[in-house]
Amino acid sequence: MTTKHLVDKHTIEILQTLQLKAQNPAYYTGLVSGSIEARELKDIFSPIDGQFLASVAFADEKEYEYVITTAQKAFPIWQQIPAPKRGEIVRQIGNKLRLYKEPLGKLVTLEMGKILQEGLGEVQEMIDICDFAVGLSRQLYGLTMHSERPEHRMYEQYHPLGIVGIISAFNFPVAVWSWNAMIAAVCGNVCVWKPSEKTPLTAIATQHIVNEVLQENHLPEGIFNLIIGDKKIGERMAKDERIPLISATGSTAMGKQVAQNVAARLGKTILELGGNNAIIITPNANLEMAVRATVFGAVGTCGQRCTTTRRLIVHKDVYETIKEKLVKIYQNLPIGNPLHSQTLVGPLVDKQALENFKKALIDVQAEGGKLLVGGEVLTDNEYAKGCYVTPAIVEAKNHYPTVQKETFAPILYLIQYEGEVANAVQIQNDVKQGLSSAIFTTNLLEAEYFLSHRGSDCGIANVNIGTSGAEIGGAFGGEKETGGGRESGSDAWKAYMRRQTNTINYSTQLPLAQGIRFEINL
């Protein structure tokens, strides 16, 4: 299986550009000339067929310091530009991404393995958040409060923090960066981005695209910065007092370490961590809708979304019907090269993900689970060099240790419940993660219970929509071990700002709050 004949000239040119600049500091800020000695090189291979894509250089201490100091110098300049003017730069970035949507979307697929429709959708998500941020740049509002003191005015305003550190994960190699970077930028911050070491090429390509806009507007380097490295770079960023805010996306284990390091210096964090998302199907559900949403949620991105549907909690009255429908669909899922238009399930990201998939299935069956369908690692000639599996469905109990954990692979645990919807909600909430959740029902009382304070404990709760595929207009994030962070829409922008309360006395007197009298003779 090959990908070369499916990659257009523009995409090949992007890869060639990346390879030609492998010894250039442009890897980090993208605007510096000269050469460096590569301290460490990492070869990047496509999970589609093992094809070599490029080698990237990891930053050392010298390059890291260069990036941070460059960002520090850029911040005073960028924050002085009026917010709507910053929004204009973001608007141009969105337009530039429109021009590069197809090749960049293909590069996402080549490097990460998600199907082309999802790769293109990820770039569209970047474009959408640019549009959102442009409007936001004219709406960075504060509040006015009435003072208890006469002829006093109180209000609050928001100021940028400085450098925002962004640590992103492989499964959304560019979109999640844009959620943070575009919002942070219109707020007046500069950004330092460390992408996953598994998917650096899409990040580098995106950096070059952004740099075109900065150069066209004669803006200084250091507003948007990129640094390539492994977890050591992420740890350095988390401990760096020059970075007031770290936004980190990844596993719960990674997030806990980031949180400890940032908290030790009293910094701020936005954490988007693991999910163990469930769909509840009640007897009052539209079963066709529920099945469609379950399949996309469970096998989309080959089960490698933080919002992937991992548990399906089904009432006993419709359990067998749902099971039969899902098994039949899973037996006929189009698995293969994600660049092919008919493919719905591409590969896992790498061999380690394959091992995690296999281990989880072994463990859950040892705990009492029953494998209904799938669970194979595909190794014939068509798939031998890739990372392909058949998505699995396992009958299980919610308390099984493996079900309680997040396995970043296409494994769906089928769980039965009886009685009222409250019983299903209790099962859903009985995990440590709290990202996304959904219920399928046409019963108003069940839907409202699910959305009430007694219902879902997740940051995202949907009715008659699956767990995956959130829109950028709403704040994205979860509770419990998901980290509590919020990104993207709504008022998530406030996390990238520092709040300041102001009081103005426009009288000639000096009254004190709470009626305190403090008289002195002058």
Side-chain angles (χ1 to χ4, degrees), residues 147-287:
S147 173
E148 68 181 68
R149 290 168 283 185
E151 297 184 293
H152 282 60
R153 180 166 66 90
M154 291 178 62
Y155 70 97
E156 65 180 22
Q157 60 181 331
Y158 291 83
H159 299 294
L161 293 169
I163 300 176
V164 171
I166 303 168
I167 301 172
S168 61
F170 75 86
N171 58 330
F172 280 86
V174 288
V176 174
W177 163 79
S178 70
W179 292 359
N180 288 275
M182 297 303 107
I183 302 297
V186 297
C187 289
N189 300 288
V190 297
C191 301
V192 174
W193 177 20
K194 192 207 90 64
S196 169
E197 59 266 36
K198 295 182 180 181
T199 52
L201 302 184
T202 44
I204 296 168
T206 299
Q207 182 71 26
H208 286 311
I209 292 168
V210 170
N211 286 340
E212 287 185 20
V213 175
L214 298 182
Q215 290 169 330
E216 289 165 2
N217 287 273
H218 307 290
L219 287 167
E221 59 180 330
I223 297 170
F224 294 96
N225 303 277
L226 177 67
I227 188 162
I228 305 299
D230 57 16
K231 66 179 183 180
K232 294 177 183 178
I233 292 291
E235 291 172 359
R236 184 183 293 268
M237 290 172 65
K239 294 177 181 179
D240 196 328
E241 294 182 356
R242 296 168 293 182
I243 305 177
L245 171 66
I246 295 288
S247 177
T249 303
S251 69
T252 296
M254 180 276 285
K256 287 181 177 180
Q257 188 62 53
V258 168
Q260 290 174 24
N261 287 331
V262 177
R265 59 180 176 86
L266 298 181
K268 301 176 183 291
T269 56
I270 299 173
L271 300 176
E272 298 292 350
L273 310 176
N276 197 347
N277 317 294
I279 291 178
I280 295 170
I281 301 178
T282 81
N284 300 301
N286 180 318
L287 298 188

Side-chain angles (χ1 to χ4, degrees), residues 300-329:
T301 323
C302 200
Q304 297 170 114
R305 290 183 175 218
C306 51
T307 55
T308 289
T309 305
R310 308 207 180 277
R311 297 175 296 141
L312 190 64
I313 304 167
V314 186
H315 193 276
K316 68 179 183 64
D317 291 351
V318 292
Y319 182 86
E320 291 300 327
T321 300
I322 293 294
K323 180 170 74 171
E324 181 181 344
K325 288 179 180 291
L326 286 174
V327 168
K328 183 177 180 180
I329 291 170

Side-chain angles (χ1 to χ4, degrees), residues 324-511:
E324 181 181 344
K325 288 179 180 291
L326 286 174
V327 168
K328 183 177 180 180
I329 291 170
Y330 268 55
Q331 289 171 337
N332 296 285
L333 285 171
I335 302 169
N337 189 323
L339 289 165
H340 292 162
S341 60
Q342 71 273 19
T343 298
L344 293 183
V345 183
L348 290 166
V349 69
D350 57 21
K351 300 298 182 184
Q352 183 59 56
L354 285 177
E355 294 304 315
N356 294 342
F357 174 77
K358 292 191 293 185
K359 184 178 186 303
L361 289 175
I362 292 171
D363 290 347
V364 75
Q365 289 179 85
E367 293 158 6
K370 179 182 179 182
L371 179 64
L372 299 178
V373 66
E376 301 173 74
V377 176
L378 301 178
T379 57
D380 60 30
N381 290 337
E382 184 181 3
Y383 303 102
K385 293 183 179 180
C387 302
Y388 295 88
V389 299
T390 58
I393 300 176
V394 178
E395 283 188 306
K397 302 293 185 181
N398 196 66
H399 67 269
Y400 291 170
T402 303
V403 177
Q404 289 283 311
K405 295 185 295 185
E406 179 189 44
T407 301
F408 231 52
I411 304 173
L412 178 65
Y413 299 115
L414 196 56
I415 300 166
Q416 185 177 138
Y417 84 94
E418 299 183 14
E420 300 299 319
V421 71
N423 298 332
V425 171
Q426 183 177 359
I427 294 171
Q428 178 206 275
N429 291 347
D430 191 20
V431 293
K432 292 182 179 181
Q433 310 85 356
L435 179 52
S436 187
S437 59
I439 189 171
F440 277 82
T441 180
T442 57
N443 183 297
L444 178 64
L445 300 182
E446 290 180 331
E448 289 294 335
Y449 181 91
F450 180 74
L451 299 176
S452 75
H453 66 278
R454 298 174 295 170
S456 171
D457 64 1
C458 296
I460 299 170
N462 298 328
V463 176
N464 295 326
I465 300 172
T467 62
S468 195
E471 296 183 36
I472 59 96
F476 181 90
E479 301 300 322
K480 302 190 292 188
E481 286 197 353
T482 301
R486 292 297 185 274
E487 297 169 334
S488 191
S490 185
D491 66 348
W493 62 271
K494 293 181 179 179
Y496 305 92
M497 306 283 271
R498 58 181 177 87
R499 185 195 304 246
Q500 184 181 78
T501 300
N502 307 110
T503 304
I504 299 174
N505 178 3
Y506 56 93
S507 76
T508 59
Q509 304 300 313
L510 195 63

